[in-house]
Amino acid sequence: MTESAISAHRTPRVRFAPSPTGFLHVGSARTFIFNWLYARHNGGTIVLRIDDTDVERNTEASVQSIFEGLKWLGLDWDEEYKQSERLDLHREAAEAIFAKGLAYRDFTPAHVGDDNQSSAQGAWLCNPGMRDLSREESDRRAASGEPFALRSRVPRGEHSVLRFTDAVYGTQTKLTDEVEDFALLRSDGMPTYHLASCVDDAELRITHIIRGQDHLTNTFKHQLIFAGLGVEPPQFAHLPLLVAPDGTKLSKRKHGPVVSVTTYRDAGFLPQAYVNFLCLLGWSPKNDREYMPLDELRDLFSLEGVNRSNAVINFTEEEPFDAKAVWLNAEHIRALPVEVLARELQPFFERAGFKVTPEKVLAVTPLIRERIKLLSEAVSAADFFFVDELAPYDVAELIPPKGGDAAMARKVLETALEVLAVTNFDHDSLDQALRGAAGQLGLKAGPMFQPIRVAVCGRKNAPPLFETLVALGREVCLKRIREATENLSRIGR
RNA sequence: GUCCCCGUCGUCUAGCCCGGCCUAGGACACCGCCCUUUCACGGCGAUAACACGGGUUCAAAUCCCGUCGGGGACGCCA
């Protein structure tokens, strides 16, 4: 029976284990999403574990910002742990491994600074002498209080092979001779990532570890730890990395705020669109589906659909968001019921300083929902609905296209003033009345509508005219058209 | 340096495991046309890729070898 056949019989328990050293990273978000999808698809459990054993770098602010990102994504989890609260477990495990002779004390002073052990002449394997220290001497030095790190005693010269089958990358093998004696415990007694992670995975009965491919080679060490613990290792599934357009791993330092989840939130992405986008990076349902709501993603997800090559997330200085993410966001925006979209838009208008009531937003939403790709764009797409005074605009735009002149613009606006004063403010009445007026002036729809549109919106590109007039109301429309005629005469001749 | 992984349109990908249906499919972006009162939506169309070189085979994007290119790991960080 293969490993995957065995694990298929277990209800999956997966975990997402971010370390709180900054905001929630795009790559982490995708790892979380894939874990969530896998768990929910298979009726399993998802564990959130904060891997905070690095006291130097972990901050409470970072924990908060990770939760903030997770909350926005809107995906839930079932259990929650903090690694720092499980230190006893880790130390006991280290003890047990040491007792079995699978680890040894290394009294070499801790490395400081950046002198890299593994540069020019191949990989560093161990600190000479320490591995072979007699038990007596080791005990004596430890008893005298000399600090030491606990290192794994990786088999040497036996030609033993480490092997595991990754659900994505297939069978992986490596000679133990090529694995260094990695640390289990630091000289301050704290567990390292490798130890803490494996001990917790074992203790929490994690069945599937779905994580970034940057851990693929670390997995051999983890095999060793699980063996030392005397437990069957979980199934591993490594995900291809998300990389920047330059091909390198996304980093906060190098690539800036585009690697933070909250940047997308603030720019007006819908979480479901963002999740959809991230899923398409390194995974495919293989049926040409692109736009997918969460339910569909969950139903379709499988590890077999995960591919092995890194995925570029496209962004530039000018266009900070991947065009496909933006397109998907527009798709999700259009898929939203108007009331729901209106509620999403409300805070963006408020933040822009507009006086908005839910009713007004609800009236405006259908007019802009096909015109925005990001929620934040609603502000510039619909500003004229909310401001008291239109911002100054180019008066020349009032002049009808295709050979119109100022006199024609004036005529159109004066006619509009008369018509709008007496016409019912509903779509059909307005349509009929304004088209009729155009006919009498001998004008086509275009030349008739543009001056009016510019007068009430302050720009040429705007939502359909009649709906816009209705949303604006008679009073505002008349006022703005009157102002437009005045502007026209001021520069008219 | 050592080890590991990857390499299909500009980008995300399907096809690769189980060679022929691939004159390589879809999507985004870009360009053009149509719809239309503007913008947008929508519809239609165009451009665009199997990294390279050797094999194996009647037949290779698909199998094998090599080269090149890219990425990752190698820490008492995670």
Side-chain angles (χ1 to χ4, degrees), chain A residues 176-238:
Chain A
T176 54
D177 295 310
E178 281 158 353
V179 178
E180 72 280 7
D181 285 354
F182 56 95
L184 262 15
L185 245 30
R186 307 179 209 170
S187 49
D188 61 3
M190 287 291 280
T192 61
Y193 160 77
H194 299 302
L195 203 237
S197 178
C198 292
V199 170
D200 283 334
D201 287 335
E203 207 276 336
L204 295 170
R205 304 184 328 281
I206 300 302
T207 60
H208 298 257
I209 295 183
I210 303 170
R211 59 172 23 166
Q213 194 241 40
D214 45 352
H215 282 301
L216 192 61
T217 45
N218 283 334
T219 307
F220 294 107
K221 294 170 198 158
H222 301 171
Q223 296 292 321
L224 252 12
I225 298 178
F226 284 116
L229 257 23
V231 303
E232 189 69 24
Q235 167 77 247
F236 287 88
H238 287 87

Side-chain angles (χ1 to χ4, degrees), chain A residues 61-111:
Chain A
S62 168
V63 173
Q64 286 321 309
S65 106
I66 284 169
F67 275 105
E68 195 186 341
L70 255 19
K71 183 185 162 209
W72 178 66
L73 289 177
L75 306 178
D76 61 342
W77 55 90
D78 306 302
E79 297 171 25
E80 192 175 315
Y81 304 91
K82 261 192 162 181
Q83 206 159 51
S84 57
E85 290 164 358
R86 307 164 60 83
L87 297 174
D88 290 344
L89 226 46
H90 308 144
R91 291 193 186 111
E92 280 165 29
E95 265 311 305
I97 291 172
F98 179 67
K100 288 182 190 172
L102 299 174
Y104 62 90
R105 299 191 186 99
D106 181 354
F107 295 94
T108 311
H111 267 269

Side-chain angles (χ1 to χ4, degrees), chain A residues 2 15 36-37 56 111 141 167 237 264 270 380 411 450 454:
Chain A
T2 66
R15 46 64 154 189
W36 187 93
L37 254 16
E56 301 283 303
H111 267 269
R141 288 171 72 168
Y264 289 79
L270 251 15
S380 57
K411 192 76 195 143
Q450 170 155 323
V454 173

Side-chain angles (χ1 to χ4, degrees), chain A residues 203-475:
Chain A
E203 207 276 336
L204 295 170
R205 304 184 328 281
I206 300 302
T207 60
H208 298 257
I209 295 183
I210 303 170
R211 59 172 23 166
Q213 194 241 40
D214 45 352
H215 282 301
L216 192 61
T217 45
N218 283 334
T219 307
F220 294 107
K221 294 170 198 158
H222 301 171
Q223 296 292 321
L224 252 12
I225 298 178
F226 284 116
L229 257 23
V231 303
E232 189 69 24
Q235 167 77 247
F236 287 88
H238 287 87
L239 271 15
L241 261 23
L242 256 28
V243 298
D246 66 3
T248 60
K249 198 158 84 153
L250 286 172
S251 92
K252 304 168 189 179
R253 272 196 55 187
K254 220 171 136 187
H255 308 291
V258 289
V259 309
S260 170
V261 169
T262 49
T263 301
Y264 289 79
R265 176 197 63 187
D266 299 341
F269 278 87
L270 251 15
Q272 60 269 41
Y274 185 64
V275 168
N276 191 164
F277 169 64
L278 255 25
C279 284
L280 261 20
L281 259 25
W283 172 78
S284 163
K286 303 189 187 296
N287 61 178
D288 287 346
R289 292 283 290 159
E290 304 262 343
Y291 162 81
M292 285 173 281
L294 227 214
D295 289 355
E296 186 176 352
L297 250 10
R298 185 240 289 133
D299 293 345
L300 257 29
F301 187 80
S302 84
L303 259 15
E304 282 82 68
V306 177
N307 43 251
R308 285 170 284 274
S309 48
N310 292 171
V312 173
I313 161 159
N314 238 329
F315 61 86
T316 61
E317 205 62 52
E318 310 77 59
E319 295 291 335
F321 303 115
D322 191 300
K324 197 150 197 173
V326 173
W327 169 74
L328 275 169
N329 200 53
E331 292 282 303
H332 278 90
I333 283 177
R334 285 179 231 131
L336 245 31
V338 190
E339 313 78 58
V340 179
L341 214 211
R343 270 203 300 282
E344 296 282 355
L345 257 19
Q346 182 92 15
F348 284 87
F349 288 129
E350 284 167 1
R351 241 172 283 152
F354 295 154
K355 296 177 295 187
V356 287
T357 60
E359 295 71 32
K360 190 73 184 285
V361 173
L362 190 59
V364 165
T365 299
L367 302 188
I368 58 169
R369 76 189 207 138
E370 273 161 17
R371 271 160 264 268
I372 57 172
K373 288 176 156 51
L374 300 174
L375 298 176
S376 55
E377 290 169 358
V379 170
S380 57
D383 55 353
F384 57 86
F385 285 112
F386 301 109
V387 295
D388 291 331
E389 290 297 325
L390 242 29
Y393 55 89
D394 183 2
V395 180
E397 296 199 330
L398 288 166
I399 293 167
K402 298 187 184 129
D405 55 22
M408 190 191 289
R410 164 176 300 279
K411 192 76 195 143
V412 166
L413 293 178
E414 282 166 357
T415 307
L417 236 25
E418 290 165 22
V419 171
L420 296 183
V422 298
T423 307
N424 266 347
F425 258 60
D426 63 78
H427 178 282
D428 291 353
S429 308
L430 255 11
D431 186 330
Q432 215 176 353
L434 256 10
R435 279 187 205 276
Q440 286 184 352
L441 291 177
L443 290 175
K444 292 212 180 196
M448 178 73 193
F449 295 167
Q450 170 155 323
I452 306 174
R453 176 181 298 110
V454 173
V456 300
C457 301
R459 72 178 71 136
K460 273 195 288 201
N461 299 343
L465 187 58
F466 310 128
E467 288 89 333
T468 302
L469 296 176
V470 173
L472 248 15
R474 190 196 308 269
E475 206 181 315

